[in-house]
Amino acid sequence: MTAGGWAVTGLAFAAGICGQVLVQGPTGRDKDLPWIEGWMQEDLPSWGRGPLGHANQVRASRRLHAAPSSMAFRLSAGGVKEAAADALWLTVLPRLGRSWVEPERKGAWIEAVTTAMTDANPRALTPVIYAAYFLEGIERRHPAIERVLERAMEAREKAPFEEPRRANAASWQLPEVLGMNLYMFGTPEEKKRAVLWLREAAAMPTCPDLVIDFIAAFRAREGSPLEGWELWIHRAFQAENPEFRRAYLEEADRARLAALRRWASAAEARRTPPAWPSTVDEVLAEAPEPERLTWDSLPRRRAAVAEGVLLHPDTRDIEIPSLTARLEKEGLEDLRLLLRHFELTNGRKAASLADLDSFSHRPVAPPPRHGTRWGLNPATGEPEVVPDLADPRSRR
Amino acid sequence: MKGPVLVVAGNTYREVGRDRMLHLLGALVVGFVLFSWVLGWLNPEEADQVRHLVDFGLAGVNLFGLLMAALLGSSLLRREMERRTLYTVLCREVTRTEFVLGKYLGLVGVFATGLALVAVLMVLYFAIFGAAPGWPLVAAIYGNLLEIAVLTAASVLLGSFTTPALSAIGTVALWLVGHNTETLLEYLQMTGKEALEIPFQTLYYAFPNLSDFNYRLAASFELPVPPSVLAFATVYAVLWVGLFLGAASLFFRRRELP
């Protein structure tokens, strides 16, 4: 090698050392050790792995696996950061389930490796979800759960091209896992934050309906019965497919109708003698106070809640006609399929709907209008909606 | 009649195409892409298996592309000088600049051909496992080609004034730095260390930002890659290649031949 070559190599080495020292910062070397020994035992390994926080603590403990510093990991991975993160994940995976002598150190290790993976490949969700579950296994409300998930959510926004871009199809899981953890194991204050995270999850177009139903149910119990209505409307406006949009708006109407029915029942009980309310205003007067207070500043919200609502005091019913028509159509379609199934299985047509009772199937909800029931037209063999004065929903 | 640049490029294309090292590295790329299925299969989540397949496959292409650029690019000019074939070329109406440009274009042409073959293989291979990355995969491989073109130009530049070994090391170092300039700036923002501001910002502006050619994340998550981004990356790569080759030509013109 020429003298120039040696000089360039020496300079590169010196620059690398300086860079490492600057990047890693002081490592808290034991003062009692001779400097060369301390340098060999502590400083030198620390340049290879371990940033300033948790990873250093983890590294200090023997018998633990390597926890690479996020920064050093990314710097050394060069242009293949995503694949390096995947490779790290494959090495971490078999060790996640092992029991550790010091669980808190296992928690720190999980946090350190997950952070490195998240930073190198911001869109990989599985490692983060797994990390959260394994941290939960160590301690139900492990403080690192929130840090790991929040970092992943922050990193999720960092993707190529510096432009608004779609989230991962499965990224609703991050706020959902955090929200559920806070809701199930958190303090009352943390449960309030849980709602915010769960709402964020539910607002994502790919989030399963079950999450919305869950939030709607427990928020209704907490005195916010219109949570489900809002979430479904939000989702409807995100949907590009008109069929999906219609279905989501129908779900929103269902949630609104459920709340209105509860309020109508409350208004009925308040009257002496009990009587079904005859105006929508009477029904809305039973809404929880926080909801009614929002109507003072948002009168259009109140109008939206009452939109298209019809009251039927004679049958103790309240309906949204467009929803009723659609539910009736869906119910009839379900019954038609069941009748066809019955015919194919038993080799004869059903004589009445009672025949279906002995037939294993998903139960069909009763028709939406009070004072009606499903019937079978003997002439055509087609299901239909028939008046039913004995409908228990019509009586108090 | 072909210009001297194209003649040199054509000869280089044929010469490098017969190089055993290229064949070996090419076989390794194909092996790595095929092996990526095993790595994907190790993942317990089915949805992640295909993603790992794409991630590892494209990472293999990038790594072996780097090796090819570093090993073949660094010895491109030196080999001509050692074999004395350079004299027979330069005694005709070929300037040294044209020679450097022709050699470079020939080499990049070989890489482009190789990458096109690998792209076809990858699309077919990924399709077997249900992945349909389509346009993002093509964009990722095109980004790889741009990156390799820039690294090859850098390798040729380093090879024009130093030994092939140092040139190869320098190219790998450039790959590391080029992919990390943004990470360094991020570190700066995170820690607020003012002492590092000038050196890190110098690194950021003095080296090509190779992350601009990285669409591997987009390919593995099937994200759209806007054509404007590809156009920008192409212009950016051409500018850096021009800069590196201009400097290489300058060094090579002043170089005393043995």
Side-chain angles (χ1 to χ4, degrees):
Chain A
M1 197 184 288
T2 60
W6 282 112
V8 170
T9 310
L11 278 174
F13 185 74
I17 296 289
C18 290
Q20 287 284 26
V21 171
L22 287 169
V23 169
Q24 300 295 347
T27 54
R29 190 174 66 212
D30 189 344
K31 300 294 177 198
D32 296 337
L33 287 172
W35 77 268
I36 186 69
E37 201 174 325
W39 188 79
M40 291 293 284
Q41 285 181 8
E42 294 182 0
D43 287 1
L44 194 60
S46 81
W47 291 339
R49 54 189 153 107
L52 311 173
H54 289 280
N56 270 343
Q57 291 174 14
V58 173
R59 196 192 64 242
S61 170
R62 286 179 189 175
R63 301 177 54 180
L64 291 186
H65 300 290
S69 131
S70 167
M71 187 59 66
F73 184 69
R74 273 186 292 166
L75 287 174
S76 56
V80 289
K81 293 180 178 61
E82 302 84 17
D86 292 344
L88 178 62
W89 168 234
L90 292 179
T91 63
V92 163
L93 196 56
R95 297 168 184 164
L96 277 175
R98 286 186 196 168
S99 57
W100 296 50
V101 179
E102 297 168 285
E104 70 278 8
R105 289 200 182 280
K106 180 181 176 182
W109 173 74
I110 290 177
E111 185 179 3
V113 289
T114 311
T115 304
M117 283 187 280
T118 304
D119 288 351
N121 190 349
R123 285 187 167 261
L125 296 180
T126 313
V128 186
I129 306 288
Y130 271 54
Y133 285 139
F134 277 95
L135 286 167
E136 203 172 279
I138 296 169
E139 187 187 331
R140 285 181 164 180
R141 271 293 298 122
H142 198 291
I145 294 176
E146 208 160 339
R147 287 197 294 268
V148 163
L149 288 167
E150 282 190 2
R151 191 177 183 96
M153 280 185 266
E154 178 202 349
R156 192 190 62 210
E157 307 300 329
K158 293 177 190 167
F161 320 135
E162 304 284 327
E163 285 173 8
R165 45 199 84 89
R166 69 174 188 172
N168 285 335
S171 56
W172 59 270
Q173 291 179 55
L174 297 173
E176 191 264 346
V177 169
L178 180 53
M180 288 303 287
N181 181 266
L182 289 169
Y183 181 75
M184 289 168 71
F185 308 122
T187 59
E189 203 54 41
E190 286 175 330
K191 285 188 179 179
K192 284 182 188 165
R193 283 199 292 129
V195 174
L196 299 178
W197 286 118
L198 288 171
R199 263 191 206 150
E200 190 174 325
M204 292 184 190
T206 48
C207 180
D209 300 352
L210 191 67
V211 176
I212 296 186
D213 290 339
F214 176 78
I215 304 171
F218 84 74
R219 288 287 290 157
R221 214 168 52 201
E222 286 179 351
S224 301
L226 292 176
E227 183 84 30
W229 174 62
E230 285 179 55
L231 289 171
W232 284 116
I233 287 181
H234 184 79
R235 174 164 291 196
F237 282 102
Q238 284 183 324
E240 288 175 6
N241 184 324
E243 192 62 33
F244 285 175
R245 176 174 287 197
R246 199 161 45 240
Y248 293 150
L249 286 175
E250 185 188 311
E251 289 294 339
D253 277 345
R254 268 185 218 245
R256 179 162 64 109
L257 190 63
L260 288 167
R261 281 224 159 98
R262 271 197 297 276
W263 298 343
S265 295
E268 181 185 31
R270 197 183 289 278
R271 282 181 164 194
T272 346
W276 194 254
S278 53
T279 64
V280 177
D281 284 342
E282 281 179 82
V283 175
L284 295 183
E286 296 299 326
E289 195 178 354
E291 178 63 32
R292 277 185 282 122
L293 287 175
T294 62
W295 295 344
D296 294 339
S297 54
L298 298 167
R300 291 188 69 174
R301 180 181 167 93
R302 184 185 187 280
V305 173
E307 190 180 300
V309 172
L310 291 180
L311 285 160
H312 303 290
D314 49 333
T315 54
R316 295 183 67 248
D317 198 8
I318 184 166
E319 70 162 331
I320 300 170
S322 57
L323 178 66
T324 305
R326 199 165 169 92
L327 291 179
E328 268 186 4
K329 196 177 158 194
E330 282 173 10
L332 286 170
E333 194 56 42
D334 281 354
L335 277 174
R336 261 185 220 110
L337 286 170
L338 268 177
L339 288 165
R340 182 77 180 134
H341 192 185
F342 179 89
E343 187 184 343
L344 291 172
T345 311
N346 296 291
R348 65 174 176 88
K349 284 183 182 277
S352 71
L353 291 183
D355 278 352
L356 298 179
D357 291 345
S358 58
F359 194 59
S360 171
H361 62 80
R362 181 170 60 89
V364 179
R369 242 189 297 264
H370 289 189
T372 61
R373 63 174 169 80
W374 301 121
L376 188 64
N377 188 329
T380 61
E382 286 288 307
E384 60 185 3
V385 180
V386 293
D388 179 18
L389 296 176
D391 183 359
R393 296 176 297 178
S394 307
R395 285 171 289 148
R396 183 177 167 80
Chain B
M1 188 180 158
K2 281 184 183 176
V5 174
L6 288 181
V7 172
V8 175
N11 280 330
T12 309
Y13 187 90
R14 281 189 292 277
E15 180 197 346
V16 177
R18 289 192 289 263
D19 195 313
R20 280 184 195 164
M21 191 186 289
L22 182 83
H23 297 164
L24 177 70
L25 289 173
L28 284 173
V29 172
V30 173
F32 197 89
V33 170
L34 297 177
F35 181 69
S36 61
W37 173 75
V38 177
L39 297 170
W41 175 75
L42 289 172
N43 200 301
E45 295 287 328
E46 200 176 327
D48 282 348
Q49 289 181 358
V50 172
R51 189 176 63 72
H52 278 204
L53 183 76
V54 178
D55 266 357
F56 285 119
L58 287 172
V61 171
N62 185 261
L63 281 176
F64 288 112
L66 164 72
L67 283 180
M68 286 184 199
L71 297 176
L72 297 174
S74 57
S75 59
L76 198 67
L77 299 177
R78 173 60 72 112
R79 200 189 298 174
E80 297 290 339
M81 286 188 276
E82 283 175 355
R83 289 181 186 165
R84 316 269 176 189
T85 44
L86 183 63
Y87 300 109
T88 55
V89 179
L90 291 184
C91 66
R92 303 187 177 210
E93 287 183 359
V94 179
T95 64
R96 291 193 186 194
T97 304
E98 287 169 337
F99 182 75
V100 170
L101 196 58
K103 293 295 285 182
Y104 171 78
L105 287 178
L107 188 57
V108 170
V110 172
F111 292 156
T113 311
L115 276 178
L117 292 173
V118 169
V120 172
L121 169 80
M122 286 175 104
V123 167
L124 293 176
Y125 188 61
F126 293 164
I128 294 172
F129 296 101
W135 169 245
L137 178 69
V138 175
I141 292 179
Y142 178 67
N144 257 332
L145 176 64
L146 292 178
E147 185 179 334
I148 291 172
V150 172
L151 289 171
T152 308
S155 180
V156 170
L157 166 64
L158 294 170
S160 68
F161 65 86
T162 183
T163 61
L166 270 181
S167 167
I169 292 169
T171 309
V172 174
L174 177 71
W175 175 79
L176 268 177
V177 174
H179 274 291
N180 282 321
T181 51
E182 281 186 359
T183 310
L184 292 176
L185 279 194
E186 193 186 313
Y187 175 78
L188 206 58
Q189 286 171 352
M190 200 168 72
T191 58
K193 285 185 180 174
E194 289 180 6
L196 294 175
E197 198 169 334
I198 292 174
F200 280 10
Q201 285 201 344
T202 309
L203 277 178
Y204 184 74
Y205 289 111
F207 287 90
N209 184 357
L210 298 179
S211 305
D212 283 341
F213 308 126
N214 182 356
Y215 312 122
R216 291 183 279 283
L217 203 64
S220 59
F221 285 98
E222 295 177 35
L223 303 172
V225 182
S228 58
V229 170
L230 285 183
F232 167 77
T234 308
V235 172
Y236 185 64
V238 167
L239 287 175
W240 273 106
V241 167
L243 188 73
F244 284 147
L245 288 185
S249 156
L250 206 66
F251 280 116
F252 194 57
R253 269 173 25 205
R254 294 186 175 185
R255 182 154 185 165
E256 297 248 343
L257 295 177

